[in-house]
Amino acid sequence: MTDRYAVMGNPIAHSKSPRIHALFAAQTGQDLVYEAILVEPGGFAAAADAFRAAGGRGLNITVPFKQDAWVYADRLSARAERAGAVNTLVFGTDDVLGDNTDGLGLVNDLERNLGCSIAERRVLVLGAGGAVRGVLQPLLAAAPASLTIANRTAATAAELALMFGDLGRVYGGGLDILDGKRFDLVINATAAGLTDEVPPLPDDLLADGAWCYDMVYGDRPTAFVRWAHAHGAAHAVDGLGMLVEQAAGSFRLWRGVEPATAPVLAALRAG
């Protein structure tokens, strides 16, 4: 019997996850189908219940439902527990496991695919939502010199800094805390990227040789990638590699096999 998987979010029509998992399945000989499902605000639990009742084996979760999925799961992996956000649900016979492969995907893309070492770099993360919660622990495990979280709502960033402060030098606040500071790696995880916008950032934010990474991806350079190039970034990339790497983590959880990500990423870049 063909196993069913899906990604749920809003918006979702742009998602490349169905193609990624179809390529993984073909590569590894797995019998599965994977679809994208639009879920209305407030409707996540009912949609997940319906998918599971219809025989679904697992879900990926994207914005804005990662914290809803954290609540929905019966049990959580250690990294999902810490993050307070879930991007992968595994439907077992008796319960639902919630995990988070976002941070693993980000770090693997930066360090393995792109050759950007995080250790000893001054890292800035823009945003403080569910996507950020999922990547902070893996980022800090990579031993940056410091990690700053900046968000339009200062209190949310400050709260995250307190939550993860035992893992390294973590600072949090509003966008105003960026004045006069320079960073080696800037990661954009704001919702502004979904509407092709950029948060208001200082012109002198980037250190010499800085990397800029946008968690959003698109068929053309994102607004943040364009901003980065215009402000002297040595490297500016979108989040397509993170998408493929976090998908590989989910696929491994569901199927127990490790797909090769390089050929899938190359296929997506080629269109």
Side-chain angles (χ1 to χ4, degrees), residues 97-165:
L97 169 67
D99 205 341
N100 195 312
T101 64
D102 282 335
L104 175 70
L106 173 62
V107 171
N108 281 351
D109 191 37
L110 281 168
E111 297 201 322
R112 188 171 67 191
N113 297 340
L114 299 171
C116 173
S117 175
I118 297 167
E120 299 305 317
R121 290 185 185 268
R122 296 165 293 177
V123 177
L124 168 63
V125 178
L126 300 169
V132 174
R133 286 172 171 267
V135 303
L136 289 179
Q137 182 178 14
L139 278 174
L140 289 164
S146 63
L147 190 150
T148 299
I149 307 162
N151 189 51
R152 289 182 187 271
T153 305
T156 310
E159 179 185 358
L160 282 183
L162 285 173
M163 287 174 58
F164 289 87

Side-chain angles (χ1 to χ4, degrees), residues 38-252:
L38 178 68
V39 176
E40 295 303 321
F44 174 75
D49 281 343
F51 186 78
R52 188 183 184 197
R57 296 287 303 278
L59 287 170
N60 280 137
I61 316 300
T62 188
V63 292
F65 300 115
K66 293 184 181 185
Q67 285 161 288
D68 297 83
W70 189 86
V71 173
Y72 181 85
D74 297 313
R75 57 189 177 94
L76 298 164
S77 69
R79 58 192 176 191
E81 178 73 53
R82 184 68 186 250
V86 159
N87 82 323
T88 306
L89 292 173
V90 183
F91 296 148
T93 304
D94 301 315
D95 66 1
V96 178
L97 169 67
D99 205 341
N100 195 312
T101 64
D102 282 335
L104 175 70
L106 173 62
V107 171
N108 281 351
D109 191 37
L110 281 168
E111 297 201 322
R112 188 171 67 191
N113 297 340
L114 299 171
C116 173
S117 175
I118 297 167
E120 299 305 317
R121 290 185 185 268
R122 296 165 293 177
V123 177
L124 168 63
V125 178
L126 300 169
V132 174
R133 286 172 171 267
V135 303
L136 289 179
Q137 182 178 14
L139 278 174
L140 289 164
S146 63
L147 190 150
T148 299
I149 307 162
N151 189 51
R152 289 182 187 271
T153 305
T156 310
E159 179 185 358
L160 282 183
L162 285 173
M163 287 174 58
F164 289 87
D166 61 311
L167 301 180
R169 296 175 60 193
V170 187
Y171 309 96
L175 296 175
D176 59 301
I177 69 170
L178 302 178
D179 293 337
K181 295 185 175 64
R182 304 185 82 197
F183 296 90
D184 305 302
L185 170 60
V186 181
I187 299 168
N188 180 38
T190 67
L194 295 174
T195 54
D196 205 37
E197 298 173 351
V198 180
L201 301 172
D203 288 336
D204 58 351
L205 186 69
L206 304 181
D208 292 342
W211 283 79
C212 287
Y213 191 99
D214 197 346
M215 286 194 189
V216 173
Y217 59 88
D219 295 328
R220 62 187 180 90
T222 67
F224 180 69
V225 167
R226 299 196 303 272
W227 178 92
H229 284 307
H231 289 80
H235 310 274
V237 295
D238 69 14
L240 187 61
M242 175 182 172
L243 178 71
V244 173
E245 293 293 340
Q246 65 80 27
S250 298
F251 194 87
R252 183 170 56 250

